[in-house]
Amino acid sequence: MKVVSTDWREKVTRTSPSAYSNFVATITDSIRQHLTPPPRLDVADWSNENRILSKLSGPEPGPYRWQRAPYQRKMLQVAGDPSVSRVVLKMAVQTGKTIVMENVVAYYIANDPSPILCVMPDNGEAKKWSQTKLEPMIADSPVLSELIKSSRARDSGNTQLKKMFPGGYIMMVGSQSEAAFRMLSIRILMLDEVDAYPVDVEGVGDPIKLARGRLSNWWNKKEIMSSTPTIKDLSRIDEEFNKTDQQHFYIMCPHCKQFQLIEWKNMVYKNKDGENDPSSARFACQFIEENIEDDEWLKDNHYYVKPDTDLNKLRKTLKKCGKESSESKKGWMLEHGVWVEHVPEAVTPGFYLPSMYSPWVSWAELAEEWTEIRTNHERMVFINSRLAQAWENLDDRIEPHDLAERVEREEYDADIIQQTNIGPQLIQHGCPTGVGILTAGIDIQEQGEGRIEIGIWGWGIGEEWWHVMSTILRGDVKQDDVWRQLAEFIRKITFPNVNGASVGCQAWCIDSGAMTDRVYRFVKSMRAEGYNVISVKGAKDVNASPLPSQPSLNRLHNVNTFHLGVNQIKSLLVPRMKFDPPGAGTMHLRLGTTLEFMQQLASERRIVKRNKVSGRPYHLWRKKNSHVRNEQFDMMVYAYGAYLLSSPTIQIDIPDLVQRIATAQPEKPVKEGDEPKETEPEQPEMGYEVLRPAPKRTNIFAGSWYQGWGDNRR
Ligand SMILES: [Zn+2]
């Protein structure tokens, strides 16, 4: 078939190059439509006919039905609409966001084959998505398995992260690697969990811009972006959603049949006696007399109020209701729901959906989660992941007087139980009740006469935390003496509980940012002795997760270094410093804590910066002023890193450890300067023993994941 004739080409090229390319695009479009008739079904109905949900992908395996979550229908229809080039999904967890993404991918593979790129926050997520979502989806849906050969088939050419099919391919990449975006052009771009993307990828810019650059050659390109939001003003999905038509899902009240949103403030869970009973959670209709009388409420909450509406007239047509509906009515309410654009003039469709709409999360579960929130951090997680809203209340300022008030309230036992000489110093040490694991941060200071600082912190149930002790070993860090003192400290110091039984420090994170070679040599020799001394550095990426998935290896010294996401750790710990009643997340400072110590813990504040290359805003922790010292703050962050590094290896059972430490009795009277036992201790039942006076400890890392990283011990 020859559609192109030279006549019209000459005619058009004489006008302008862009008119020509537009014209070609239109013709190509008509050829395309001519050759491949549009599928009979939209994405929603096609998914109903063709998608089988795998046992691996969720709690409800079997044929997919959009009727199970009726709000998914319009999302799918819009995502597959050829006239729509972008869709934004701001959705809570467990609302079926992933199923929507999967269905769109499946639809394009089967009906409109094209190059597809799926971007996940990191490579690990990309692999996980392929393994737990995409591959089972292909295996379980015959229409897909006919098109895509298993990557195990010898000649398939398919890998976990790239699958070929007639007319296209699908690739999955992590947002953190610039190389991932240097590929052929793609037509369908899926951006998943965009709020977890880095601000900047390896100095070359915003990963979303890089990915969009791959789309630019296509006239019929499509981008689907989704995420739960994070922090206000930093959240990408929030920013993108605000530029869309902002569709909200209005359900019908089963009593008064009036349309309204399900908002968190309209979930009630008090029983007849006025007590909280999350299991009774139900929805209260918003049409109460008070609201109907309120002009502002009517304008904000009644979607068909046009600017020139006579509100009094409207009021007369509305009924006051306020009646409650139980969970069993949710299905009916969703079935009678409708998406409404809050900004109809915007071009890009955007959908917002919190967890209260999900058929997979009960109102009772949500109410229970809400009533169990104790910390600001937990509240933020609920607001982000359940309500799909950005978190505004940062609460990131901590001042020394906040900490002083905390110290005044403390009743801190096991304050100082034992004293030991290290070099010229007398060290006083003891383990507070409630602690399950002790970890240390070590900081090397070259300035002045030089010193090594050590901060020891204890961690209990729900990450309740105690400052156990801090000390300074003075001496020129280029000379051996101060390093000898540090080794002696690590070998000698244990922390007696109230009964006098000794508790060991499980992990020592030492900053290798300064005196790097010297630190490596020290780490190597201490690890050879069996002490869990770990080289760490602060990750440069401000969005780096608190614990990196793997360390970097220095081959010369054969020492691993973990790049801790210090910026994120600070964002996690600082708001907790203010948390008050003892319990999960609360910090404890010993009676007698010095003002200098409190000033150091409160030495940094969070500021907003913009990335020079990508222009993205981000949070950064900075000293409040240049002369304030912050070593104690840094060591606390490293000690938390040491805690995180310990947790996966010992399959931590903190409540059990807390109990064991609190009740342990000394094996023999503990005297100052006790020599370590030379015999190897018996292997304890749980492969982990904290209660031992002899500091030559069981290696808790033996046989663990940590050992896998080209280890540097013996
Ligand atoms: Zn009602």
Side-chain angles (χ1 to χ4, degrees), residues 252-258 260 283-287 319-325:
M252 192 187 268
C253 167
H255 305 284
C256 65
K257 311 285 190 284
Q258 284 165 139
Q260 57 199 291
F283 171 77
C285 177
Q286 305 197 25
F287 285 83
K319 290 175 265 179
K320 59 182 169 185
C321 172
K323 292 200 176 87
E324 292 173 357
S325 301

Side-chain angles (χ1 to χ4, degrees), residues 33-79:
Q33 282 177 4
H34 191 72
L35 295 177
T36 50
R40 186 168 55 85
L41 302 167
D42 64 37
V43 182
D45 289 334
W46 181 88
S47 302
N48 267 13
E49 281 202 1
N50 295 284
R51 274 268 356 242
I52 311 289
L53 300 179
S54 153
K55 276 189 199 122
L56 286 174
S57 73
E60 292 177 359
Y64 170 81
R65 295 281 174 267
W66 60 254
Q67 287 84 349
R68 178 78 177 105
Y71 52 79
Q72 286 182 355
R73 185 186 198 187
K74 190 175 179 192
M75 293 175 169
L76 291 168
Q77 288 172 333
V78 168

Side-chain angles (χ1 to χ4, degrees), residues 135-179:
E135 289 179 350
M137 173 173 93
I138 295 167
D140 290 349
S141 299
V143 63
L144 298 177
S145 44
E146 273 173 29
L147 298 170
I148 303 180
K149 285 188 194 170
S150 161
S151 52
R152 263 161 281 166
R154 217 184 277 163
D155 59 340
S156 71
N158 288 337
T159 63
Q160 193 173 38
L161 296 178
K162 183 169 183 180
K163 315 274 182 202
M164 312 288 292
F165 47 84
Y169 58 83
I170 176 167
M171 279 191 83
M172 287 135 281
V173 301
S175 66
Q176 292 171 326
S177 149
E178 189 255 334

